[in-house]
Amino acid sequence: MFKTSLNFINTNKTIPSITSINNLLNNAKTVSAFQQSNYAESRSFGFDNSAQKLPESTRVIICGGGVLGASVAYHLAELGWGQDTIVLEQGRLGGGMTYHSSGLVGVFKPSRAQVRLCKESVQLYKDLTAQGHKLGWKQCGTLNVARTRDRMTHFRRMKAQSIALGIECHLVTPAEAQSLCSIIQVDDIKGGLWVPGEGVCNPYDICNSLLQLAKNKGVRVIEFCGVERVLSEDDRVTGVETNLGTVKCHVFVNSGGFWARHIGQMSNPVVKVPLHPVEHYYLYTKPIAGLDPMTPVVRDLDGQVYVREHDGSLLAGGFEPVAKPAYEDGSIPLKMMDLNIGLKPKKKRDVDYAEGDSPVERVLPEDWDHFHVLLEQLLHRVPRLGSAVLHKLTNGPEGFSPDCKWIIGEAPELRNYHVVAGMKTVGISAAGGVGRATAERIINGLFPYDMYELDICRFLGLHNNRKFLRDRSREAPGLHYALPYPFREFRTGRNLRMSPIYPRLREAGAVFGQVMGYERPAYFDPDHVEEGTYKDDGRPYRIAETFTFAKPDWFDFVAREYEACRETVGLCDYSSFTKIDLTSKGQEVVDLLQYLCSNDVDIPVGGIIHTGLQNERGGYENDCSLTRLAENHYMMIAPTIQQTRCKTWIQRHLPSDSSVSVSDVTSMFTAIAIIGPFTRTLLSELTDTDLSPKSFPFFTFKELDVGLANGIRTMNLTHTGELGYVMYIPNEFALHVYNKLLEVGAKYNIRHAGHYATRALRIEKFYAFWGQDLDTTTTPLECGRTWRVKFDKGPFIGREALLRQREEGVRRMYVQLLLQDHDPDLELWAWGGEPIYRDNQYVGATTTTGYGFTLKRMVCLGFVQNLDAQGNPQVVTNDYVMSGQYEVDIAGIRYPAKVGLHSPNLPTKYPDQEREGYFATRDKMVTEPLLRANVTK
């Protein structure tokens, strides 16, 4: 049971008791004034069903009348689609997660895309407020406080990145933090980060205003209309069945909050929206005398809590380290959904609540024991709470995705089915930007900028497993305020996808990371096999963790693995890579790939090419290798994170006559890479096939017998720039081939190598990687791959955009930067996102970074721009890039850097013409007119 005397965690201080705790518990069923007033206002939205009937057809149906659905409707109306848009709400407008939102509006988010969306939201709220609309917007600023040195390092990194993100912020001392917010105690903090442009708002007022503005431009808004089924034909949305009738439509938007997953199950095929509701708490006090109405929002991230002022009172909540899932059995109460019971309003709706729609039933029962950990932190940070009269502890269900990121985009299962969900309590911060981006995606077919990390196509079916989501939902909310250390790994939902050699890798000391549910060795620690932190089937296994912004603990392990890959033999598990077979009876598969790919795929059987799959803007929808196994049979190898995305992209461009077959064979093959100068000699001992360069040259394919196994698809490449082979082995042969490689490889000092080592190899060799360096807005011309684009082969997606860019010149260029005067043993490392300066002017940011074990220094990859005085990008040339003096800002310290445009030649004990003859970036300068010195356009 909750105790009135609380001891603060990790301190010797006793937290003062709350004088009104008994009163609070006695009034546990009372709805707070904040909720009551907002709900009363929500009843006056003015959208009456009595005079409205569902039309037979419309263009867009939005399911969900919360702030996100309202924003999508508003932006569609602004773009001219108002007369063709309907918003359906199964209960009261603004009555879902919007109903219990705390109203915080922050712009400093973990990624550039999230920042842009939130900045657009703030600008929208400012503009509408200036136009006289009531939104409750108040720019009171946000004060983030740090209890630890690592948190201050994080703040210094944020401060450095703020110039690239266009966010005003200031590092402050404890004394300055106290002067900014007098109600907090600062004895234990190291400092803080002040963001004056952030603030608070009233979510219900915003929802009301956006819907009213949308309605003024023709959008129809219908309450108490529950969606019962989403209709489709040929995997494309055709209509919606509701409790009030059926409507034909071309586009469906699922903005159903934590019900979005359930709504996804109402279509055939099912649309997988992986999220799970968790209990989310905040306290609301009665008015406090003398409380400044402009008291800033305070986020004590190390304490996992926040506090804000609201109408003379305090509203305080947080994100507990171990969250409590709501509706763990998967049964969301129907009285909260109206989706299956066809709830209809009573006649006197302006007076009475509909059955099952009262404010009390919109929240969950309080659990003071569970909230205890957050309350301790709140009382510690804001001592005044100890004497405040508390009015209500609100517990509302909030949807979290399994990776703690938002879910946005067109569903892979159905065309024109768009999802906007999983906003993890910050939907109000992003609603304006997300609504605009979704509206533009609906109308134009593309997001205005890259949003892969938020795109629903980043998930697989396994992520929608209810028990997986339940377990992951305990962990995900706590990461919202956790320190964003590099290569963060989840601890729940592990050991889902494992290659057949996984047990042997674990016995060899593998320390695992997880990507797309796949357990992938990050590095190997063979001396501490039995010291696993976690157990599966009674056997220990270790999760890769990097709890530092400086030199990581795994450095020496990776150094040895890197050396093996460059000087002897390294063995890597590549099984997680996406593998897709494409076949046809005739020429159809060749014609399809010629249209999808910017490179020429009509290569000899046994050949391999690297190619991009561009979109209409010339950006990368996928970056992959294509192997021609037979005249009408190709195998595509793509990044692991592309498994859903690239298959969906291909399927949506297939010929309508079903002449091309697409098969995801990722799980059929175990992929083992052997990397290093002795790999040809090693593999020759296990196969009868001639592996000489003349018979089996670099960048070609052969099907080999290896050991006693046959049918091994073997590629003479490694994706790292080093010599070696990748073998795609039918799973039943995987363990045999693995054992033979280790057995014969012992004489060549073979060593296991993990992802961190191969990552270091490709960074040092200047290899761009999709999802890190390349995205849907990056073109081949910008990243030094013009020579991979065959303009003369015929039409392909993005050709016209790339031709225009070739004529006009690029406005950003991919570069490699080698840090100078930086001590990797003593100083903070670059981990990505660091600002790049040229001649003391900001010109770009790093994308991927790592330590170069051959170059003996930090290596940063990123993009450089030529910005004019107004910050507008101009044409970038080779001369421009090479003529400047560069610096990279790591947490406020600028380090000189040497810039490069070409893949470097790295010294080795065993030089090889094949290895040194291939470069991934700008190896054919003469064919790249955009890099010529005379390009001045």
Side-chain angles (χ1 to χ4, degrees):
M1 183 62 183
F2 178 81
K3 297 178 175 60
T4 57
S5 182
L6 305 174
N7 295 321
F8 174 59
I9 294 176
N10 296 328
T11 75
N12 294 321
K13 297 182 180 180
T14 298
I15 294 202
S17 63
I18 304 179
T19 58
S20 61
I21 204 68
N22 291 328
N23 181 53
L24 186 152
L25 292 173
N26 291 333
N27 291 286
K29 298 297 183 182
T30 303
V31 181
S32 73
F34 177 59
Q35 292 174 298
Q36 289 279 25
S37 63
N38 282 317
Y39 198 83
E41 290 172 7
S42 75
R43 291 200 296 156
S44 64
F45 275 15
F47 305 117
D48 187 1
N49 284 1
S50 59
Q52 296 205 51
K53 293 183 179 179
L54 286 175
E56 291 185 2
S57 64
T58 189
R59 183 179 283 182
V60 182
I61 288 181
I62 299 171
C63 177
V67 69
L68 287 168
S71 181
V72 175
Y74 166 81
H75 284 95
L76 284 172
E78 288 292 301
L79 293 172
W81 282 31
Q83 297 290 339
D84 301 311
T85 300
I86 297 176
V87 178
L88 304 180
E89 167 54 44
Q90 50 90 12
R92 295 275 189 187
L93 293 163
M97 285 184 285
T98 301
Y99 174 70
H100 55 77
S101 171
S102 56
L104 306 186
V105 181
V107 296
F108 234 136
K109 302 301 178 187
S111 70
R112 183 180 295 270
Q114 292 178 60
V115 168
R116 290 186 67 171
L117 293 170
C118 291
K119 289 180 68 177
E120 289 179 5
S121 295
V122 170
Q123 190 59 53
L124 174 65
Y125 303 157
K126 287 182 176 180
D127 292 344
L128 293 180
T129 299
Q131 295 169 20
H133 298 282
K134 180 184 176 183
L135 305 181
W137 165 250
K138 181 170 62 175
Q139 189 173 318
C140 56
T142 297
L143 176 63
N144 303 284
V145 299
R147 301 189 190 190
T148 66
R149 293 179 62 183
D150 276 2
R151 182 67 69 178
M152 277 307 298
T153 295
H154 174 48
F155 286 170
R156 289 197 296 273
R157 288 175 56 83
M158 292 172 66
K159 171 62 177 173
Q161 294 167 359
S162 66
I163 186 171
L165 301 174
I167 299 175
E168 179 187 359
C169 64
H170 308 278
L171 294 168
V172 297
T173 64
E176 290 169 332
Q178 183 79 80
S179 66
L180 285 167
C181 185
S182 60
I183 67 170
I184 65 171
Q185 75 90 6
V186 298
D187 293 348
D188 63 332
I189 70 172
K190 306 295 183 183
L193 185 73
W194 167 240
V195 189
E198 297 186 337
V200 297
C201 66
N202 188 313
Y204 313 95
D205 286 341
I206 291 178
C207 187
N208 184 13
S209 296
L210 291 175
L211 285 173
Q212 189 60 61
L213 289 167
K215 187 180 178 185
N216 293 344
K217 292 198 173 185
V219 173
R220 281 165 287 185
V221 182
I222 303 176
E223 294 180 306
F224 298 98
C225 182
V227 172
E228 297 176 345
R229 186 182 174 200
V230 179
L231 306 175
S232 63
E233 187 175 332
D234 296 329
D235 294 332
R236 185 182 296 268
V237 169
T238 59
V240 173
E241 290 182 1
T242 78
N243 61 293
L244 300 182
T246 299
V247 186
K248 295 179 181 179
C249 67
H250 300 292
V251 178
F252 179 76
V253 180
N254 180 349
S255 59
F258 69 84
W259 294 297
R261 181 175 180 271
H262 180 90
I263 296 169
Q265 295 171 336
M266 296 178 176
S267 59
N268 184 21
V270 167
V271 169
K272 302 175 184 68
V273 186
L275 56 80
H276 196 287
V278 299
E279 297 186 1
H280 181 63
Y281 295 83
Y282 65 73
L283 281 171
Y284 187 81
T285 75
K286 291 189 175 181
I288 297 174
L291 187 62
D292 186 347
M294 290 303 290
T295 296
V297 174
V298 176
R299 288 190 175 94
D300 182 352
L301 304 176
D302 297 305
Q304 305 281 117
V305 294
Y306 64 82
V307 63
R308 59 157 290 196
E309 186 274 344
H310 183 276
D311 289 343
S313 304
L314 287 177
L315 187 157
F319 299 87
E320 59 272 45
V322 180
K324 184 179 179 183
Y327 318 119
E328 290 193 57
D329 62 357
S331 300
I332 300 177
L334 294 181
K335 65 181 180 180
M336 297 182 68
M337 296 183 61
D338 304 353
L339 292 171
N340 294 324
I341 62 175
L343 188 64
K344 294 183 179 179
K346 294 183 178 180
K347 291 182 179 179
K348 296 181 179 181
R349 282 185 55 234
D350 56 334
V351 176
D352 299 326
Y353 292 117
E355 181 183 357
D357 193 50
S358 72
V360 170
E361 290 176 310
R362 288 285 180 175
V363 296
L364 298 169
E366 302 93 339
D367 184 343
W368 282 97
D369 290 331
H370 181 74
F371 184 65
H372 181 271
V373 63
L374 295 180
L375 183 58
E376 286 182 320
Q377 306 301 317
L378 288 168
L379 292 170
H380 171 71
R381 185 58 55 213
V382 186
R384 186 179 291 193
L385 274 175
S387 58
V389 178
L390 304 186
H391 189 75
K392 176 67 177 178
L393 175 65
T394 295
N395 176 13
E398 190 72 44
F400 278 77
S401 71
D403 61 0
C404 201
K405 296 178 182 178
W406 312 335
I407 305 175
I408 303 170
E410 187 177 19
E413 297 88 356
L414 277 178
R415 294 298 305 268
N416 297 332
Y417 187 121
H418 295 262
V419 178
V420 184
M423 305 305 292
K424 62 177 186 180
T425 80
V426 297
I428 194 64
S429 294
V434 169
R436 175 175 174 268
T438 301
E440 291 194 16
R441 173 71 182 266
I442 289 171
I443 294 174
N444 302 323
L446 291 170
F447 284 123
Y449 39 83
D450 182 75
M451 298 211 300
Y452 163 72
E453 61 156 350
L454 306 176
D455 198 316
I456 192 171
C457 286
R458 71 187 187 269
F459 295 116
L460 293 170
L462 66 90
H463 294 115
N464 201 45
N465 179 284
R466 185 181 63 79
K467 293 181 180 179
F468 166 81
L469 288 169
R470 177 201 62 195
D471 293 345
R472 181 60 62 84
S473 69
R474 291 187 173 95
E475 181 180 10
L479 298 180
H480 188 49
Y481 278 2
L483 269 166
Y485 287 119
F487 307 143
R488 185 162 65 186
E489 294 285 343
F490 287 96
R491 299 180 182 181
T492 54
R494 300 303 296 249
N495 288 350
L496 290 175
R497 302 178 74 194
M498 296 170 284
S499 70
I501 64 174
Y502 170 85
R504 294 297 306 276
L505 297 173
R506 185 167 63 179
E507 291 171 2
V511 183
F512 293 97
Q514 188 187 71
V515 57
M516 293 293 274
Y518 213 102
E519 296 295 336
R520 177 177 65 181
Y523 64 93
F524 288 80
D525 181 4
D527 296 330
H528 298 86
V529 173
E530 297 303 319
E531 296 182 10
T533 308
Y534 308 94
K535 288 196 173 184
D536 179 61
D537 297 329
R539 306 189 67 178
Y541 71 99
R542 293 175 60 187
I543 295 175
E545 294 171 320
T546 306
F547 295 131
T548 180
F549 294 109
K551 183 178 179 179
D553 293 339
W554 42 257
F555 180 88
D556 291 335
F557 301 116
V558 175
R560 289 192 287 268
E561 296 166 20
Y562 171 96
E563 183 180 16
C565 292
R566 294 217 73 227
E567 307 301 347
T568 56
V569 179
L571 184 149
C572 307
D573 183 5
Y574 276 16
S575 300
S576 67
F577 277 17
T578 298
K579 315 168 194 72
I580 295 176
D581 272 7
L582 301 102
T583 60
S584 65
K585 291 183 178 179
Q587 181 76 7
E588 296 89 350
V589 69
V590 181
D591 296 338
L592 171 67
L593 289 173
Q594 288 288 52
Y595 177 66
L596 292 179
C597 300
S598 50
N599 207 340
D600 186 356
V601 307
D602 197 4
I603 56 177
V605 173
I608 304 173
I609 62 163
H610 277 154
T611 183
L613 279 69
Q614 316 319 132
N615 54 40
E616 294 292 345
R617 294 185 299 217
Y620 281 93
E621 288 295 327
N622 187 17
D623 179 53
C624 64
S625 299
L626 273 175
T627 302
R628 194 168 193 177
L629 305 179
E631 282 294 329
N632 302 315
H633 185 185
Y634 289 82
M635 184 180 190
M636 176 181 289
I637 307 299
T640 304
I641 57 176
Q642 277 274 7
Q643 187 169 351
T644 299
R645 184 188 188 93
C646 70
K647 184 181 179 183
T648 301
W649 181 260
I650 294 168
Q651 287 176 327
R652 290 184 173 173
H653 293 89
L654 289 176
S656 58
D657 60 4
S658 301
S659 57
V660 178
S661 174
V662 179
S663 301
D664 184 345
V665 296
T666 300
S667 298
M668 293 174 58
F669 294 92
T670 300
I672 297 178
I674 51 173
I675 306 173
F678 296 125
T679 51
R680 180 181 292 121
T681 308
L682 165 59
L683 192 56
S684 293
E685 296 191 37
L686 293 172
T687 184
D688 295 330
T689 302
D690 181 5
L691 302 183
S692 67
K694 184 176 180 180
S695 175
F696 192 5
F698 189 48
F699 247 67
T700 62
F701 151 85
K702 282 186 180 297
E703 192 168 280
L704 303 180
D705 292 348
V706 178
L708 304 182
N710 70 304
I712 312 301
R713 297 180 181 182
T714 305
M715 321 293 182
N716 188 349
L717 53 73
T718 64
H719 308 290
T720 65
E722 301 297 327
L723 290 177
Y725 306 87
V726 183
M727 290 163 278
Y728 294 92
I729 311 162
N731 284 335
E732 63 267 30
F733 295 137
L735 197 56
H736 170 76
V737 173
Y738 170 83
N739 289 335
K740 285 298 181 182
L741 288 170
L742 288 184
E743 177 185 327
V744 176
K747 68 178 73 172
Y748 302 105
N749 295 320
I750 192 170
R751 177 185 289 272
H752 289 92
H755 169 66
Y756 292 172
T758 56
R759 183 180 184 274
L761 288 165
R762 74 99 173 160
I763 291 173
E764 207 167 26
K765 280 295 185 75
F766 200 7
Y767 276 37
F769 203 72
W770 198 92
Q772 299 175 39
D773 309 293
L774 310 179
D775 59 32
T776 58
T777 64
T778 306
T779 72
L781 281 66
E782 294 169 344
C783 64
R785 294 180 172 185
T786 307
W787 53 278
R788 287 186 184 171
V789 180
K790 302 303 188 291
F791 290 102
D792 298 332
K793 68 165 183 165
F796 60 87
I797 299 175
R799 181 175 182 270
E800 290 73 19
L802 295 177
L803 285 171
R804 286 194 301 271
Q805 190 177 58
R806 187 175 69 170
E807 177 65 24
E808 297 170 359
V810 298
R811 283 174 167 75
R812 62 174 183 160
M813 194 175 291
Y814 189 52
V815 301
Q816 184 183 63
L817 295 158
L818 308 180
L819 297 193
Q820 315 293 310
D821 301 331
H822 174 270
D823 189 337
D825 291 323
L826 302 176
E827 299 178 279
L828 296 174
W829 280 28
W831 293 103
E834 289 80 15
I836 300 170
Y837 290 84
R838 176 186 178 273
D839 296 340
N840 209 37
Q841 298 296 317
Y842 169 78
V843 292
T846 65
T847 51
T848 308
T849 62
Y851 183 77
F853 291 93
T854 297
L855 297 170
K856 305 297 183 186
R857 62 188 69 242
M858 290 296 302
V859 181
C860 300
L861 310 181
F863 287 87
V864 167
Q865 294 179 295
N866 178 11
L867 303 175
D868 63 18
Q870 288 73 43
N872 300 313
Q874 306 300 307
V875 169
V876 179
T877 65
N878 182 27
D879 285 346
Y880 170 83
V881 172
M882 298 306 296
S883 62
Q885 299 295 316
Y886 287 85
E887 296 172 302
V888 175
D889 187 329
I890 303 178
I893 300 177
R894 295 189 191 180
Y895 296 92
K898 180 181 178 181
V899 70
L901 287 171
H902 309 85
S903 296
N905 285 306
L906 301 178
T908 175
K909 300 175 185 176
Y910 306 99
D912 184 281
Q913 187 173 358
E914 279 190 317
R915 171 165 55 181
E916 303 304 333
Y918 179 80
F919 299 96
T921 307
R922 300 189 183 93
D923 67 338
K924 298 181 180 179
M925 293 289 293
V926 69
T927 68
E928 296 193 69
L930 66 129
L931 298 179
R932 294 174 186 165
N934 62 356
V935 173
T936 58
K937 291 184 180 181

